[in-house]
Amino acid sequence: PGPMYHIVQNVNGRLVREPAGHNRKDAERQLRAVQVAVDEHTYVPPENVGFSDWADRWLAELRREETTRMTYRPSLEYAKQAFGNKPLRKLTTADVRAFLDHVGRVSRARRAPREVSPTTLAKHLRHLGACLQAARTERLIAENPVRLLAPSARPKAQKKRPSYFTNDELARLWPEPVVVQALPPAAISDQLSAQ
């Protein structure tokens, strides 16, 4: 996507290099914000956090129902197995593709030898993307590698077709035919006036 821009600051005699993304205008905006924070003595250098540490922290701090956290947990476990504690800022789209391959391999080993559905892979990718987007918001990474993944590399969720009842199933549901008798308009008005 182009060159990677970095913001380099001297913090207490130590050079701190912070990735700012591939977009020059965004990098310049981020540089101005960092310069203001340095001038106001509020600048905090970004952490060098490993993926496993971040995933655990993000999941623990996620303000959602427990059932929601439970749906994210398996996806993040797959990612921790695939990435280990590799620094967040070093994750690339190649790592994301390796994550998808890992999910497919591990899932096939646990169940009958069948292909993992694209819908399942897309779900795991969404969960990983949410985790990494939170890291981007916290300025731990410059860009979310899940969002940089080429469309051709993304699994597509399959749309399920509705399943209709067959005639035999309908006959079992309603064994006797229901007869609806239409009333003439005069009978309807007589019934309404009687009430």
Side-chain angles (χ1 to χ4, degrees), residues 3 62 80 90 92 96 110 119 132 137 144 172 179 185:
L62 187 63
K80 285 170 23 179
K90 292 190 176 181
T92 64
V96 175
R110 288 184 182 165
T119 304
L132 292 176
T137 303
N144 183 345
R172 279 187 269 146
V179 177

Side-chain angles (χ1 to χ4, degrees), residues 66-128:
E66 181 58 30
T67 54
T68 303
R69 284 197 300 273
M70 284 173 53
T71 60
Y72 279 101
R73 195 166 284 122
S75 301
L76 295 180
E77 285 302 320
Y78 284 137
K80 285 170 23 179
Q81 292 165 7
F83 306 148
N85 212 20
K86 184 174 185 176
L88 279 172
R89 59 189 176 82
K90 292 190 176 181
L91 291 177
T92 64
T93 54
D95 293 313
V96 175
R97 286 191 301 275
F99 161 75
L100 291 171
D101 292 341
H102 176 74
V103 170
R105 275 193 316 274
V106 171
S107 294
R108 277 193 301 274
R110 288 184 182 165
R111 289 190 221 114
R114 63 179 179 139
E115 232 13 72
V116 177
S117 76
T119 304
T120 301
L121 288 175
K123 174 193 74 165
H124 289 302
L125 187 63
R126 274 194 318 274
H127 294 170
L128 175 63

Side-chain angles (χ1 to χ4, degrees), residues 100 125 145-156:
L100 291 171
L125 187 63
V146 171
R147 293 201 173 174
L148 296 176
L149 198 62
S152 61
R154 293 175 175 274
K156 292 197 182 226

Side-chain angles (χ1 to χ4, degrees), residues 11-100:
V11 179
N12 300 328
R14 180 174 74 98
L15 286 181
V16 175
R17 187 176 174 169
E18 180 179 347
H22 293 284
N23 185 304
R24 183 182 178 102
K25 288 186 180 183
D26 289 345
E28 288 172 349
R29 269 193 293 270
Q30 192 172 338
L31 172 63
R32 286 191 295 276
V34 167
Q35 288 170 334
V36 168
V38 168
D39 291 344
E40 294 175 350
H41 303 291
T42 58
Y43 177 72
V44 178
E47 298 175 64
N48 192 15
V49 179
F51 178 80
S52 291
D53 296 337
W54 169 252
D56 291 339
R57 186 169 93 191
W58 178 73
L59 197 58
E61 294 172 358
L62 187 63
R63 292 185 176 210
R64 297 288 183 271
E65 296 291 327
E66 181 58 30
T67 54
T68 303
R69 284 197 300 273
M70 284 173 53
T71 60
Y72 279 101
R73 195 166 284 122
S75 301
L76 295 180
E77 285 302 320
Y78 284 137
K80 285 170 23 179
Q81 292 165 7
F83 306 148
N85 212 20
K86 184 174 185 176
L88 279 172
R89 59 189 176 82
K90 292 190 176 181
L91 291 177
T92 64
T93 54
D95 293 313
V96 175
R97 286 191 301 275
F99 161 75
L100 291 171

